């Protein structure tokens, strides 16, 4: 409601959409100004959406974190075929919170069971050597050295002692 004291009437403001701007000293918006405002609004909408969703690498990182859901690489256990018999003679030995596998078949089953999604598969593949202990770890590093030396020399057979 507008108080029209001069006329003594109260009523609605019947001014057009541009009259208020002219009365306040602002020119009416032209088509170009309206187009720019629409472009700014669209750009702001895109910016807000990107901020809410985050850049692709952040969304990917969030997905990887959700895929892991508290899972850690060491949940698989460690492969150590030469684990001292003093810890038990079983193919699987639990020491504290860690599991040690003597049987390569059981260890591989544990690895396969852990690969429930691509994130875990990637994590296992990139950090596989961290799951090896004792002779298995020595073999892994030695065989990788031989493989690298063979590639460098052009040899096709792996032979000889650990380099």
């Amino acid at each position: 409601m507008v108080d029209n004291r001069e006329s003594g009437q109260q009523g609605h403001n019947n001014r057009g959409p541009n009259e208020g701007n002219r009365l306040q000293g602002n020119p009416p918006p032209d088509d170009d100004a309206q187009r720019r405002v629409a472009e700014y609004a669209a750009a702001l909408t895109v910016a807000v959406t990107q901020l809410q969703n985050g850049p692709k690498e952040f969304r990917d990182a969030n997905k990887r974190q959700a895929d892991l859901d508290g899972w850690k690489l060491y949940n698989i256990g460690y492969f150590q075929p030469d684990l001292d018999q003093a810890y038990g003679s079983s193919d699987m030995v639990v020491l504290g919170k860690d599991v040690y596998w003597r049987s390569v078949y059981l260890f591989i089953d544990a690895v396969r069971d852990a690969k429930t999604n691509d994130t875990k598969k990637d994590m296992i593949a990139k950090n596989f050597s961290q799951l090896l202990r004792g002779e298995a770890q020595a073999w892994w590093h030695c065989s990788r050295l031989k493989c690298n030396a063979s590639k460098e020399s052009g040899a096709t057979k792996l032979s000889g002692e650990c380099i």
Side-chain angles (χ1 to χ4, degrees):
M1 303 284 280
V2 176
D3 184 8
N4 294 329
R5 293 180 190 239
E6 292 176 15
S7 64
Q9 300 176 9
Q10 287 187 348
H12 291 284
N13 182 352
N14 293 328
R15 289 183 273 183
N18 294 330
E19 286 184 39
N21 289 337
R22 273 186 258 133
L23 293 176
Q24 296 172 4
N26 296 330
D30 59 3
D31 290 337
D32 189 48
Q34 288 177 345
R35 180 189 52 78
R36 284 188 308 228
V37 168
E39 288 173 359
Y40 293 145
L44 282 172
T45 302
V46 169
V48 167
T49 301
Q50 287 177 343
L51 285 172
Q52 288 172 341
N53 295 335
K56 184 176 182 338
E57 52 273 1
F58 291 131
R59 288 193 313 270
D60 291 347
N62 288 339
K63 182 188 180 312
R64 284 191 302 272
Q65 190 63 37
D67 284 348
L68 293 175
D69 190 31
W71 181 85
K72 302 287 183 203
L73 185 66
Y74 61 78
N75 293 136
I76 294 171
Y78 303 103
F79 177 55
Q80 186 171 354
D82 60 327
L83 183 66
D84 193 331
Q85 291 293 323
Y87 295 114
S89 59
S90 171
D91 284 337
M92 181 192 81
V93 176
V94 178
L95 299 174
K97 63 179 182 139
D98 297 324
V99 174
Y100 289 84
W101 302 96
R102 285 195 179 105
S103 166
V104 69
Y105 301 107
L106 294 177
F107 173 70
I108 294 302
D109 284 344
V111 170
R112 285 184 182 141
D113 290 345
K115 297 186 323 181
T116 57
N117 59 50
D118 289 338
T119 302
K120 289 180 183 177
K121 287 178 190 177
D122 290 344
M123 188 174 187
I124 292 167
K126 289 177 184 172
N127 301 294
F128 185 76
S129 64
Q130 294 179 23
L131 297 174
L132 306 176
R133 298 288 186 265
E135 287 178 0
Q137 189 175 42
W139 171 84
W140 177 268
H141 290 295
C142 184
S143 66
R144 294 190 53 101
L145 288 173
K146 286 182 195 176
C147 185
N148 289 338
S150 296
K151 285 179 186 174
E152 290 171 7
S153 67
T156 54
K157 290 186 177 179
L158 297 178
S159 61
E161 295 298 315
C162 189
I163 300 170

